[in-house]
Amino acid sequence: MSKSEEIQELKREKKWDELIDLFKELSDKGKKSTAIIRAYIDACENTGKFDEDYFTYLNYLINKSEKQSP
């Protein structure tokens, strides 16, 4: 099972702390998919753990959404 699949499974199971930990492991390993980033944002919001990464990735999603809007 890939890390992406593991993250999606943790999201389905609502294992937010484990999801955050796994995301942090991926943090320095390059580009992440939008689905992985959204899962991380959801985990932060569900646990109330808002760190610098949360705001960085939230900004990334907002900017990406604005670029795709007509």
Side-chain angles (χ1 to χ4, degrees), residues 8-56:
Q8 293 305 321
E9 182 64 26
L10 291 171
K11 181 178 179 180
R12 279 189 289 281
E13 295 174 3
K14 298 183 180 182
K15 294 183 177 180
W16 305 120
D17 289 322
E18 292 176 43
L19 191 154
I20 290 171
D21 292 342
L22 184 56
F23 182 86
K24 295 292 185 177
E25 287 178 24
L26 298 174
S27 160
D28 297 328
K29 297 181 182 174
K31 192 174 180 179
K32 291 167 206 58
S33 73
T34 302
I36 290 174
I37 293 170
R38 284 189 180 132
Y40 172 71
I41 296 294
D42 287 346
C44 291
E45 291 173 351
N46 281 292
T47 59
K49 295 180 180 178
F50 304 105
D51 60 6
E52 188 175 326
D53 283 341
Y54 168 82
F55 294 104
T56 300

